[in-house]
């Protein structure tokens, strides 16, 4: 459970960062602050719920309902996926900058690559649930990249950043809620 929860916390942390870093113009300052506060409070709530589940519960399987725990989540193919993600993030951003793409494309590119990384991890870990936020982030990244060529470019940070953060926080909330329910069942 500890390995799975560390992955969930990483996702929730990055979801929070997506929201905090991208909840700005053209949103009103009040909406931006509200989104940031809600993201941070959500992260805190998820942390508290996971700790509560860990204290109250028993070890639960990390499989997709098959009852088989997954061991060594962060070894083997995981390292390859993360290395490929890093290369694509840096290389793609440099290519976009070199091509004169607007600065807003950075967050769209990040969302796309992080989404693809989740989809690859879904296959590596054999967890369909990881593909859900992966699909959402991939789609939001593609939409943001498409928006970059239009007058809607100013909304790319909201679409590819804030909404990606919401998708990550939502996926993590689902995972933690499932773990909590499994931990407190008699």
């Amino acid at each position: 459970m500890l390995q799975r929860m560390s992955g969930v916390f990483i996702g929730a942390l990055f979801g929070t960062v997506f929201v905090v870093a991208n909840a700005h113009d053209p949103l009103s300052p009040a909406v931006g602050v509200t989104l940031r506060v809600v993201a941070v409070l959500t992260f805190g709530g998820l942390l508290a719920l996971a700790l509560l589940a860990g204290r109250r519960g028993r070890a639960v399987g990390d499989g997709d309902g098959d009852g088989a725990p997954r061991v060594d989540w962060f070894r083997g193919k995981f390292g390859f996926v993360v290395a490929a993600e890093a290369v694509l993030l840096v290389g793609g951003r440099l290519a976009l900058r070199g091509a004169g793409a607007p600065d807003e494309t950075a967050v769209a590119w990040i969302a796309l690559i992080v989404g693809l990384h989740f989809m690859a991890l879904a296959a590596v870990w054999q967890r369909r649930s990881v593909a859900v936020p992966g699909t959402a982030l991939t789609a939001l990244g593609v939409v943001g990249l498409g928006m970059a060529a239009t007058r809607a470019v100013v909304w790319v940070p909201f679409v590819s950043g804030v909404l990606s953060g919401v998708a990550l926080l939502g996926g993590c909330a689902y995972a933690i809620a499932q773990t909590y329910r499994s931990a407190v069942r008699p």
Side-chain angles (χ1 to χ4, degrees):
M1 183 164 104
L2 182 59
Q3 285 187 34
R4 179 177 185 211
M5 286 297 102
S6 63
V8 170
F9 286 126
I10 292 167
L13 177 63
F14 278 105
T16 303
V17 169
F18 261 117
V19 174
V20 169
N22 293 290
H24 53 69
D25 287 337
L27 299 171
S28 74
V31 171
V33 168
T34 301
L35 288 169
R36 288 181 183 110
V37 168
V38 169
V40 170
L41 290 174
T42 300
F43 178 75
L46 293 175
L47 178 62
L49 187 59
L51 291 173
L52 183 61
R55 285 188 183 153
R56 296 178 93 191
R58 54 188 162 64
V60 294
D62 285 331
D64 264 339
D66 61 5
R70 302 282 185 235
V71 182
D72 296 331
W73 280 54
F74 301 109
R75 294 187 183 195
K77 293 178 184 175
F78 172 82
F80 175 76
V81 171
V82 172
E85 176 188 27
V87 168
L88 288 170
L89 284 171
V90 173
R93 181 61 189 129
L94 290 173
L96 286 168
R97 188 179 303 151
D103 288 338
E104 292 85 355
T105 60
V107 70
W109 182 255
I110 292 167
L112 172 66
I113 299 306
V114 171
L116 292 172
H117 140 271
F118 276 113
M119 293 170 73
L121 289 178
V124 168
W125 290 337
Q126 298 177 342
R127 292 191 51 81
R128 294 177 308 272
S129 61
V130 177
V132 174
T135 302
L137 266 70
T138 301
L140 291 167
V142 168
V143 168
L145 288 170
M147 290 171 60
T150 71
R151 285 194 222 176
V153 68
V154 298
W155 286 98
V156 172
F158 177 76
V159 171
S160 296
V162 172
L163 295 181
S164 289
V166 169
L168 280 172
L169 286 167
C172 292
Y174 176 79
I176 289 173
Q178 292 295 99
T179 300
Y180 180 79
R181 276 183 273 213
S182 296
V184 298
R185 278 191 197 126

